[in-house]
Amino acid sequence: GRKFVSVSEAKNQAETLAYSTEKALKDQGEPVGYITGREASGAIGVGLRYGSCTLMHKIEGQRDVYW
């Protein structure tokens, strides 16, 4: 069945995520790139996967990636 999360539990989860993100940025610095994309997969006997994304890099610019 579905599990509903209380408001206080959702707030605690959001605060934990915010703390983890803040700590990672403090320890490792700001990212120089990010990925936006999508992926699809399926299996009938054999697993298949397809995905595409755009790699946005601060120095190298934009690059399309497929798998």
Side-chain angles (χ1 to χ4, degrees), residues 14-33:
E15 288 173 350
T16 300
L17 178 60
Y19 172 77
S20 299
T21 302
E22 183 178 339
K23 182 172 180 352
L25 290 174
K26 182 180 177 186
D27 293 347
Q28 300 178 17
E30 293 285 327
V32 294

Side-chain angles (χ1 to χ4, degrees), residues 7-57:
V7 173
S8 63
E9 186 177 347
K11 182 181 176 193
N12 288 340
Q13 291 174 353
E15 288 173 350
T16 300
L17 178 60
Y19 172 77
S20 299
T21 302
E22 183 178 339
K23 182 172 180 352
L25 290 174
K26 182 180 177 186
D27 293 347
Q28 300 178 17
E30 293 285 327
V32 294
Y34 62 93
I35 296 172
T36 60
R38 59 193 164 276
E39 181 176 337
S41 62
I44 300 177
V46 176
L48 299 172
R49 231 170 122 175
Y50 171 79
S52 65
C53 70
T54 302
L55 172 62
M56 309 292 277
H57 194 270

